[in-house]
Amino acid sequence: MVKTGTEAPIVFLHIPKTAGQTIHSELSRAVGRKAVSPVRVHTQGGPGAAQFPPGYRLYSGHIDWEALETLPSSRFVFTVLRDPLERIASFYFFLRRKAERLSAQDLARPARTGMRMVLENSPDDYFFGGTPQWRRFIDDHHHSPYCSYLVTRRLRGHSQVADWPRQDLVARAVEAARGLDGVYAVDRLDVLERDLQERLGLQLNVTGRFVNADPASRDVSQWARLEPMLERDESRMRLRRFALADQMLMFQLGLGPRPQPAG
């Protein structure tokens, strides 16, 4: 356990496929790896305060944050957002790359369900087929995940807000986002670097660096790759609807363009 003294705890609410590995690596280097909480994924800790074990400077990962207020009020809490359609596509291709490297035995493990589904199904059936349990996985990871995470404080909280009118969900998400110390866009990480330097005295180098990114596709739109792979127009329209609330959120936060109607 690490004594942090008067240093403000840092909480990075890492939504998957938003340059988070790069940011986590730099934060870990800056504060020292012994000061990093071992809870990197919400399933590694229990509910509530167990997501924030005491004695660490950095809490960073795919964590639930319902018990955020158990940390000192001096904490610095932030998240990073990315164009929602780009994120949907990036997550899809990331799972495919990982799945293609695994043996059939590894793919058969329950923990590899997402990779098995992405490899064995067409894009249309990956996103819109499968069992009710699989559909919940897709909704949690792809249907308005920014808004859901901000409002419910849970990574897999979509079911709690699934029936909300879109405008209400976005309004609540904007309110929650403005309660954080920072919400940043993945294409403007220089702003995050500046804030961490000015507010915490930490020097990070994250702009233009992407851990876990596909080197062959860094300058290519991931959505432009995925969209023509979808065989059904309805699938394209449904994914655009998945992204719309998060696009509205980013626009209202000044982090993205005004969204186009999704139909």
Side-chain angles (χ1 to χ4, degrees), residues 24-184:
H24 174 81
S25 296
E26 277 291 284
L27 284 170
S28 298
R29 178 193 59 77
V31 304
R33 299 198 180 277
K34 290 184 178 180
V36 181
S37 166
V39 179
R40 295 279 290 117
V41 180
H42 63 102
T43 54
Q44 293 175 334
Q51 296 285 300
F52 301 104
Y56 295 94
R57 176 88 194 277
L58 175 62
Y59 300 89
S60 168
H62 308 317
I63 55 178
D64 294 337
W65 55 294
E66 297 155 301
L68 179 69
E69 285 73 19
T70 62
L71 294 177
S73 59
S74 60
R75 60 189 178 263
F76 180 84
V77 186
F78 74 97
T79 193
V80 175
L81 307 181
R82 177 184 187 179
D83 177 277
L85 286 171
E86 287 294 306
R87 181 195 165 276
I88 288 173
S90 179
F91 202 159
Y92 175 82
F93 289 118
F94 171 75
L95 288 180
R96 272 188 45 168
R97 290 197 307 275
K98 298 278 283 187
E100 287 166 353
R101 298 170 187 160
L102 296 178
S103 67
Q105 183 177 2
D106 281 338
L107 277 174
R109 294 168 52 197
R112 305 296 192 189
T113 298
M115 296 180 192
R116 186 170 64 254
M117 290 291 290
V118 81
L119 203 60
E120 294 179 352
N121 291 277
S122 69
D124 298 77
D125 290 338
Y126 168 80
F127 285 109
F128 301 112
T131 65
Q133 182 179 6
W134 176 249
R135 296 291 315 122
R136 286 193 295 272
F137 175 91
I138 290 295
D139 284 344
D140 281 333
H141 288 83
H142 297 299
H143 196 317
S144 313
Y146 304 164
C147 289
S148 298
Y149 189 39
L150 287 166
V151 171
T152 70
R153 297 191 172 195
R154 297 177 60 237
L155 270 168
R156 302 203 62 176
H158 178 265
S159 63
Q160 295 178 225
V161 297
D163 296 329
W164 288 22
R166 184 182 293 128
Q167 293 286 355
D168 292 351
L169 176 62
V170 173
R172 286 283 301 277
V174 168
E175 180 182 5
R178 289 176 174 159
L180 302 181
D181 295 286
V183 180
Y184 304 93

